[in-house]
Structures are given as C-alpha cells and as structure tokens.
Amino acid sequence: MRLVVNPRFENQKPEIKGFIENFDLSGKMFVNGQRNKIKLFELNQTTLNIKSFKVPNLINRIAYKFIRKSKAQRSYEFAMRLLECGIGTPEPIAYSEASTWWSMGRSFYVSEQLSVDLTYRELVEIPNYPDAENILRQFVGFTFLLHEKGIEFLDHSPGNTLIKRREDGLYDFYLVDLNRMNFHNALDFDTRMKNMSHLTPQKKMVDLMSHEYARLYTQKSEAEIAQRLWFYTDDFQRKFHRKIRLKKKLKFWK
C-alpha cells in the first residue's frame, strides 16, 4: 500500500493510514455509489473525506500501474495545483494506492470535508432558490477565472461545485471530483463554451450565464456567447437523453 501525505498532515500519517486500511469497517458513510464510496472520519479537529475508487477493469489496472496515474493520485495533484492557482477546492490531505507488481488495485483520495450551503445542482432543481441570480452570476465569474487560468475542468457538472455563503453576502466556490482535468496556456472560445454545457438544461439559466460571461469576456458579443453556449448545451442534452434511452432498450428485461 502506497501512501502519500500532504506535508501539513505528516504527523497524522499513522492515523490516516489506519482509516484507509479500515475503510470498509469504520467511518460514517457519506456517499454510497455504485462505482465509488465516500466515508467521513474524524482526525482531531478535522473531518476527513475519504473517497474509495472502484477497482478498475483489468486493462485499466495495468494502465494505472505502468502508463497512467491513478484517479486518486490525479485528484490529489490536481487539487494541489488548483490551490496554487487560487482556485477553491477542499484541502488535499493524502492519496493511497494498493497494487501488485503488475497491476493497480484499489485507491483512495483523502481531503478535508467542507461544510457548505449548496451545490450548483440546487440552482437547477429548486425553483426560486433564494438569491439564485446573484449566486449564478458569481458562479459564472468563478468559471471565467478558471478559464482565464487555462483550467479545463472536464467534470464541470451540477454536483461538482460546492458553494458556501460568506458573511459579507458573497459566495465561495469549491471544485470536487477532480480526477479529469486539463491545464492549458489558454482556452479558446469554443472550449470555454463547451466546458459550461453540462451545467443546466434550462434556457433561462443559460441566457443569464451568457449575459454574465459576456460582461467578463469581451472578445465575443453576448449574442455570440449565448448562441454557442446553447448550441453545446442542447447538443449535450440530446446525446445524454439518447444514451439513457439506449440503456433502457439494452436492459429491457429489468
């Protein structure tokens, strides 16, 4: 078992190691997904969020051992890089990998558990969410900052941005589920628009996001931004629902 710990938590390495080794038998279940599980553990005054990634298929087990970094390692390293760029994400604490000489097995990513007020998903699913327009405009500003820093967050979807209200009425944003991310010197216009296309199917929200993005990104008009963002949003929604229909047909006996 390989364990890499943030230097700030080096003194707590034995406790962190114990949590990972006893993951299946202890901790408080936070997310019990089909692929991945997340449990919470208490370490002094810090609540740890430990994500257990599903053991990959045979080909990926070999690839993660010799060719690609594991999801846990990428999550940890990308979190470190985001913080260096001034982008919010729960503090990375450690990652761990179990492997044999020929393949990668189970892996874990450990970060700080944050207490937040909402995710972007609430803005989509709850009609008339309090202060929704203000939150959405500030979220667009956060996304614009990502793009200006050349960060392409490939899982920029409704559940992967945590939002916390500050005492001054502004909002802080934190990215989670970090293992799919690209870093560029610059992002072109279409990459920026496509990066926001998975967030909401609601035309009204897309129009508001376009208006705010146009205020910040002056290379294109609001009309151009609105047209392109809706094009990619509509394209994603059609492909998404087609995929769901296909899955239902393939699993008709269930």
Side-chain angles (χ1 to χ4, degrees):
M1 177 76 76
R2 178 188 183 214
L3 176 63
V4 174
V5 176
N6 185 326
R8 289 193 59 248
F9 292 85
E10 186 65 34
N11 292 338
Q12 286 78 46
K13 189 172 184 177
E15 290 92 335
I16 296 170
K17 183 173 183 287
F19 292 151
I20 293 173
E21 290 177 339
N22 295 286
F23 181 87
D24 292 330
L25 302 175
S26 59
K28 179 182 178 182
M29 186 66 73
F30 185 62
V31 175
N32 189 11
Q34 291 184 339
R35 293 185 302 169
N36 309 314
K37 290 179 170 56
I38 298 175
K39 284 188 172 182
L40 305 181
F41 296 80
E42 298 300 324
L43 179 64
N44 300 328
Q45 303 301 313
T46 302
T47 300
L48 304 187
N49 176 307
I50 302 184
K51 183 174 186 177
S52 169
F53 292 95
K54 180 182 178 181
V55 176
N57 61 43
L58 180 60
I59 293 175
N60 283 335
R61 290 177 67 182
I62 297 172
Y64 287 147
K65 178 67 177 182
F66 297 105
I67 303 172
R68 300 182 63 203
K69 294 179 179 180
S70 70
K71 291 182 178 181
Q73 182 176 355
R74 279 181 276 144
S75 297
Y76 178 84
E77 293 180 353
F78 289 163
M80 286 289 197
R81 191 160 179 180
L82 287 177
L83 292 179
E84 290 174 0
C85 292
I87 301 299
T89 192
E91 182 169 19
I93 293 174
Y95 74 91
S96 180
E97 301 166 338
S99 63
T100 65
W101 67 269
W102 65 273
S103 73
M104 176 73 64
R106 204 169 178 185
S107 63
F108 301 84
Y109 173 55
V110 186
S111 61
E112 180 183 5
Q113 173 69 11
L114 295 181
S115 175
V116 298
D117 297 298
L118 70 152
T119 68
Y120 183 98
R121 188 182 303 281
E122 278 78 356
L123 301 178
V124 179
E125 297 182 350
I126 301 177
N128 302 315
Y129 191 90
D131 206 25
E133 180 175 337
N134 185 27
I135 299 171
L136 187 56
R137 289 187 181 279
Q138 291 188 42
F139 170 81
V140 172
F142 171 72
T143 296
F144 177 76
L145 180 62
L146 283 180
H147 295 168
E148 287 295 284
K149 291 180 178 289
I151 300 169
E152 184 185 8
F153 181 34
L154 297 175
D155 284 321
H156 202 29
S157 55
N160 289 342
T161 299
L162 311 180
I163 305 173
K164 186 176 181 63
R165 189 179 190 277
R166 294 173 7 194
E167 291 184 1
D168 60 6
L170 298 177
Y171 294 87
D172 290 324
F173 301 88
Y174 305 88
L175 298 183
V176 295
D177 202 358
L178 306 179
N179 65 87
R180 297 179 64 244
M181 194 170 294
N182 292 324
F183 294 85
H184 307 269
N185 291 328
L187 290 183
D188 62 39
F189 175 60
D190 277 86
T191 301
R192 289 168 182 252
M193 296 299 99
K194 194 171 184 178
N195 185 237
M196 296 193 292
S197 65
H198 298 187
L199 290 164
T200 176
Q202 297 180 23
K203 185 67 162 57
K204 183 178 179 180
M205 291 183 71
V206 171
D207 287 343
L208 192 145
M209 291 168 62
S210 300
H211 179 270
E212 185 64 19
Y213 203 93
R215 191 180 65 82
L216 302 167
Y217 186 75
T218 57
Q219 290 92 324
K220 298 288 183 178
S221 69
E222 181 179 342
E224 289 174 303
I225 291 173
Q227 186 277 330
R228 209 63 184 154
L229 180 53
W230 182 248
F231 169 82
Y232 282 120
T233 298
D234 183 58
D235 183 62
F236 169 75
Q237 290 298 325
R238 285 189 288 103
K239 290 178 180 177
F240 175 76
H241 290 292
R242 184 166 63 240
K243 185 177 180 180
I244 291 177
R245 290 194 299 270
L246 180 60
K247 282 185 177 181
K248 288 182 178 179
K249 289 180 180 179
L250 293 176
K251 299 180 179 180
F252 64 91
W253 66 89
K254 291 189 176 181

